[in-house]
Structures are given as C-alpha cells and as structure tokens.
Amino acid sequence: MGLKDYWRILLRHRVYVIATFIVVFASIALWTFAQTPVYEAQGRLLFKQKQTAISASGAASRSSGQLDSVAFGSPLDTQAEIIRSRSVVETIIKRLGLKDPANPKDLIDPDDFLKLLKVEALRRTDFLTIKYRDSDPRLAAQVVNALAQEYMVRNVLDNRSEAASIRKFVEVQLPAMEKQLRAAEHKLRLFKEKYGSIILREEQATAIRVLADFKSQQAQAQISLEASESHTKALADRVGMSEKDAMIAGALMKTDGIKDLRKDLLDVESRLAVLRSQYQDSYPEVSQMIRKRAALRSVLQGQVNRFFQNGQSQSSLLDSTVAGGAEVVGQQPQDNFPRIDAVRQELIRDFVFAKVEELTARTRLEALNTVTQGYANRVADLPRLEEAQTQLERSVAATQEAYGLLDRKYYETRIIEAQNIGNAELIDQAIAPIEPIWPRKTLSLAIGAVLAFILGAAVAFVREFTNDSIQTVEDAQEVLGLPVLGTIPDFSDQENTIPIALQDPLSPVSEAYRSLRTNIKFLSTEKPIQVIVVCSAVPQEGKSTTSSNLAAVSAQSGVRVLIIDADLRKPRQHRIWNMTNGRGLTSGLVGEGEWQQHVQSTSQDNLSILTSGPLPPNPVALLESKKMAALVEEARQHFDLVVIDAPPLTAATDGLVLSSLCDGLLLIVRPNIANKRVLAKIKQDFKQSRIKVLGQVVNGVIAANEGFSYYLYNNRYTSEESPVNGNGKAPADSKWFKKSAKERS
C-alpha cells in the first residue's frame, strides 16, 4: 500500500477520524487546563580546588577537602548525592516548614521531597545544578537557595574537621619520626668514622694504585734480598771460613764491624724517633724501622756474644758501646784468635755488612707482604662496604623526606583549620520562575493533536481492516475476478419516479451508464447481446436503478428496449417509473392474457416496461416454467434489448434460473454494501452453475475512496449556456447534482 491508499482509507472513514480527533483533543485540552501549574527553580554551584599550601618545589600541594572519587565515577556525582542525602533534606524541610500537599498539617516526607528535587552535574563542566518543583514559585526558589547554603556550610565544616583529624595524627607521628631520623643519622656517622666515606669508583682506583705501588716495592725488595743473599754467599766463599768464625774474626779486628753496626743502629734509632713523632707504630714505615732496629740490635748482640767465648755479653756493654762510641786506641784484643791480614779483614768486614743488608732486605720484604695483603683485603671489601653505606644513606634520606612531609602537612592543616572557605560557590542564585514548567500548554495541545490524529487514524484503519465490505473498484475486481463493465458514481437516490438518465442526460452519472451500455455492446460484435439479467449479491446495491438507467440510455440511442421486472419478491420497477402493478409478468405467466397486453410504455421513446404484477406464492416455479422461456424468446423478436431485473442472489435463486434463459448475467456490486465473503461464495456458485457472467458493475462508487482516477464523475463536461433539457436550463430534477457539487466544494 502506498501513501495514496492510506489517504483513501482516512477519507473513507473521515467521520470516525474527525469524531475521534475531537473527543481525544478536547479531553486532553480539558485535562491540560485543569492541571495545577508547577514551577521549577534552579541554582548552580561551582566546584573548584582550594590551594592552601605551597610545596618546596613551588607547586601547589594537594589540600584537604579536594574533590576526589573513590570509584571510577565523577566526584560531582558524589556531591550531588550528598545534597540529596536524608540529613540535608530533613534539615531544609524543618527550617522552611515545608508542608505535605496531601496533609497540610504535617511536614512533607523526605521521600516525597526527593521526588520534587533534581540535582545533576553539567557534562564536562565543574557545575552542579539544583532544581526543585513546587506550585509556589517563590517557595521553589527558597528551597534551592537553602539547599545550596546548607551544603556549602557543611562542606566548610567537613574540610575543617578533616584538617583537624590530620593535624592530630601528624602531632603524634612527628616526635617518633624525628627520633627515627636521629637514629639513622647516628648509624651513618658511626659507619663513616670506622670505614670512612666510601665512594666505590674513587676508592677502588686509589686502592688499586697503592696496591700496584706496593707490589712494585715488594718485587724490588725480593730482588734486593736475593742479591744480598748471593753477595753474602760469595763473600763467605772468599773468606773461606764459617760465618761464626768470620764474625769472631771481625770482632777481633778492632771491632770494626761492631762500629759499623753501632753506627747503623744509631742512624736507625734517630730515624725511628723522627718517624714516631709523626706516625703511630702501626704505620708501615715505622713498623719497618722498628723491625730493622731490632735486627741490627740482634746482629750486634750476636756479634758481641760471639766475640766473647762464653757466648754472653753484658747489655750494658752493648748499650754503652752504642751510646758512647769510644774506643781505646792502641789497645790490643786479648783473645786466642789468629791475626788476619788486611785483605781478609776487608772481606770479613764486607761479609758482615752484606749479612746486615740481607737481614734488612728480608725484613723489608716481610713488611711489604703484610701491607700488600691488607690493601688487597680492603679492595675486596669495598663493594660490601659501599652497599652498607648506601643502605644507611637511603634510610636517612627516606626518614628525612617522611619527616619533612609530616612537618609541612602539620602547618598546612593548621592553615586549613583557620580558613572558612569550601570547595563550592553559589554562582547562580535561584529566583522565582515566571513560567510554569507544567503543564506546558502549547506542547500538551500539540501532543494532544498528534495523539488524537493517531487514534483517529487507528480507528479508521481498524474499521478498514475489520470491515469485510467492498470499498473500492479494485476490491470488487480482486474478489470476483470479473471484468468491470461500468463504474457508477454515488449519487443521492431520491424516491422519485424518473431515472437520472432521463432527469439529467448530460450528468456524469448518465455518462457512466452510457459507458456501461457501450462496454456491453462491445462484449460481442458478431452476435449482439439482447437479453441481460441484472442482479446483485445482497439487497440495496442498486440493481433496479441500474436496470432502469441502462434501459433509458439504450432507448435514447434509438434501440427498442424492454424492462422485465422479474423480482417477484420485492419488485421496484413500477415505483421507479410511477406505474400501476395490478397486472404484469405474473399475469401473463398464469394465463391472464398475453404478456404483450401487460406491457406499459414510458415517457422515453423506444422504452417499455413489463412490471412484475401480483406477487405469486412460488416465484421460482413461474420463472422455471416454459411460458417464461417462451416469453423471453418472443421478447427477443420484438425488442432489441431486454433487461430483466432479478432478485438478489443471496435472497433467492431466481437470478440463476433466469440466467439460463438469457445471453448473460450482469452483477451489480455496491461499495460499503457488498460483502467480500458473500461475493466469494457467489463466485464459487457461478463456477459450479457454469453461468455466463458478462461482468460486474460497481455502483455507487465513492470518489474519495478511489482517488483522482474518478474525478470526472464530479465534473460536468458541458457549457453552462448549453440547453440541457430543451429549455436552456439544467433540469429541475437535478437537485442531486447541485447537492453533490455543494458537498464537494
């Protein structure tokens, strides 16, 4: 179905559409104007973060009272729920004394109050809108402003309360954090005092450099020791005596070796005294000098002991010898050793010196080995020491940061406690609205009109799709499957005695009947159709009117026409033509004279009428008689066209009986009268009876139902000055046309 089809449905049921529209629209209008006006006041809160402290870096620190959301939603939604909280609502209700509209003696219930309150966040802004509805515009504005003020007061108090709680907590934590910081700093100081400040790269570089130096000295000392040992051994071989003997021999040579040993020992003592004034005994060089001194003393003591046969010497003698350094000139040693020549004396003296150097080199090598091992251990311990130092420094830094944070937070909370500001500010104060938000009369009426039209259209479509009657020519053709020989527009059928074709021959209706006659004529060009049975499915479809007008237009064309009123149950032709019905068809069939005697002439030339006559008790018996068949055959001889008006097919089978005597049956279908199911049943009867059906005539076509394809039925194609009935005027009896034209305009 297209838009035109829907429009035709609305036009067909326009009465119901208009009635439904009026009833629904009027009801909505009355309801709209009967409603109590409701006003809505609104105010806006602006939320912003208050910066109450500055961090060390200069950036604003997070302050107490800043808007945050625990969940993933917007913080403004949380603030909206706070405004809608029961405690806030109850405070406003008691403060303003808001009454319950249903029971003015009691205060309004908080749940009912919340139904009138609306708090929402504006999207992508920091604004929160508070709206309240009431029949009193001033009261609505007071409620909004009171809610905003109450929320802002509570917001300030909450911020201050939160700051006080934080301050108390910080006051407890500060002393403990300070104590922890002092302990961490003390541990770091002890570590540095014990191990020094450890910087791994620098320490490693220094230790490796010193260790390499000691390694070099250690190698040199080893070489010196080996050289001394070789020299000593060579001298011993040249002297040709044992070491003991050589030592004794040296002692016997005026104690020259002892003198040198004393001189070396004195030099070592002097250097040791100087070094002890600068360093401790643990210092490597001091330690080396001590060991060298001890070695010299030991050598000197041994030499002295060997000098004496008893192997013992007095320490006082040694000391005095070292201290005094005097010797008796010309004194001869008193011993039993042989005298040694000058060369051997020199060799022995060199041997003694070489032995001393060997001992010195050995002592120095041992000292270097000890120091080198100490530095190697130091290098191995450096990573561990650095890790320990890093942990201590990190502990100190973390504790310092925590202490600083607590200290800053303490002063920030003190500032917040002293402040009297919150996160919210009332930007737009609510004012009493002028126009009510409900009812919106224009909108309500517009919606009412749309709803009324929709309901009216629904009624039309319900009636359309639940109505089994034929509505259009297309419906009739679709149900019956018969060719449409004519479409007669709907016109007012006055209970007069003159057919419309005679009243107004030039009217669109008359032209429609002429079109029907032409279509019937062209159904058979070889053998003209002479006898036609005109019937309908149900009464009130206009079969008698169609029969009379079809006969009239045929007679106007010069054809001899006879109308036989074969509706022996409810005849109507005598009424249409204003004739008596005392004698007629039944009179001729029962033998009351020849049927020609009962034929009556009309005002139209070439048109005769055979009325039904008295109504018989058994019409079918008469119509099935041989006399009826003979009558039809005789009528063929005297008339060019015989039109038989038969009763409706659903009322009697007379039409089917008569169709067997005729050239064909013409079925009349009228919209809003003919039923689709009935027509389907008749179609089935036609197939079973094998009746020749010429076609169908859709009578009483409603132009509004059909659209523009039938517009010519409502327009007279003639000059206004042309005489229509021979007197220059439209026929006096064409009131139907004037009425129809008036309705169409």
Side-chain angles (χ1 to χ4, degrees), residues 321-619:
T321 301
V322 172
E327 81 179 276
V328 180
V329 180
Q331 184 178 0
Q332 298 293 328
Q334 297 179 6
D335 51 36
N336 297 323
F337 290 102
R339 295 287 179 262
I340 305 174
D341 55 15
V343 175
R344 287 184 67 84
Q345 288 181 8
E346 186 68 27
L347 290 174
I348 291 172
R349 188 180 296 110
D350 293 341
F351 175 77
V352 172
F353 288 155
K355 193 64 178 179
V356 172
E357 290 179 358
E358 178 186 347
L359 291 175
T360 302
R362 188 179 304 278
T363 302
R364 184 169 181 271
L365 179 61
E366 291 175 355
L368 287 173
N369 289 337
T370 302
V371 174
T372 302
Q373 185 63 37
Y375 268 94
N377 295 335
R378 172 76 171 180
V379 172
D381 288 341
L382 280 177
R384 180 181 59 80
L385 295 176
E386 186 191 33
E387 181 181 1
Q389 177 177 315
T390 302
Q391 291 179 352
L392 292 173
E393 291 176 346
R394 185 184 301 116
S395 177
V396 171
T399 309
Q400 285 178 342
E401 184 179 359
Y403 180 80
L405 177 63
L406 288 175
D407 188 56
R408 290 193 302 272
K409 184 60 67 174
Y410 174 77
Y411 288 102
E412 288 178 7
T413 52
R414 292 288 300 272
I415 294 174
I416 294 174
E417 282 188 276
Q419 289 178 342
N420 193 27
I421 57 176
N423 301 103
E425 180 182 356
L426 184 59
I427 297 298
D428 291 337
Q429 190 173 11
I431 59 175
I434 300 176
E435 295 294 332
I437 193 175
W438 180 261
R440 297 179 179 177
K441 297 180 180 179
T442 302
L443 180 61
S444 298
L445 293 178
I447 294 175
V450 173
L451 180 62
F453 176 77
I454 292 174
L455 292 177
V459 170
F461 286 113
V462 168
R463 285 183 56 83
E464 176 70 18
F465 293 109
T466 58
N467 187 8
D468 288 336
S469 63
I470 297 296
Q471 298 295 324
T472 64
V473 176
E474 184 178 356
D475 292 344
Q477 192 171 9
E478 181 179 354
V479 173
L480 290 172
L482 298 175
V484 178
L485 300 180
T487 54
I488 311 301
D490 187 22
F491 63 95
S492 59
D493 186 11
Q494 301 176 1
E495 291 297 329
N496 51 38
T497 59
I498 302 175
I500 187 64
L502 298 181
Q503 292 183 51
D504 192 357
L506 299 181
S507 67
V509 180
S510 299
E511 293 298 333
Y513 283 118
R514 291 189 181 93
S515 177
L516 172 60
R517 177 187 66 83
T518 302
N519 291 334
I520 294 174
K521 179 179 178 181
F522 286 112
L523 284 176
S524 177
T525 57
E526 297 180 357
K527 182 180 179 181
I529 297 175
Q530 284 187 274
V531 182
I532 301 174
V533 175
V534 181
C535 62
S536 62
V538 295
Q540 304 299 322
E541 291 196 75
K543 63 176 182 60
S544 298
T545 302
T546 301
S547 299
S548 61
N549 282 283
L550 176 60
V553 296
S554 299
Q556 289 175 348
S557 64
V559 177
R560 294 175 299 167
V561 182
L562 173 64
I563 299 177
I564 299 177
D565 191 355
D567 189 353
L568 303 181
R569 304 169 188 275
K570 192 177 180 181
R572 193 166 180 274
Q573 289 295 332
H574 64 284
R575 295 178 181 275
I576 293 176
W577 297 98
N578 195 17
M579 295 179 178
T580 59
N581 196 28
R583 293 181 180 274
L585 176 61
T586 56
S587 302
L589 295 178
V590 298
E592 295 181 0
E594 296 295 331
W595 64 272
Q596 291 88 346
Q597 298 175 358
H598 308 299
V599 174
Q600 304 180 47
S601 60
T602 64
S603 59
Q604 176 62 45
D605 296 338
N606 299 323
L607 179 57
S608 301
I609 305 295
L610 177 60
T611 60
S612 63
L615 301 182
N618 189 4

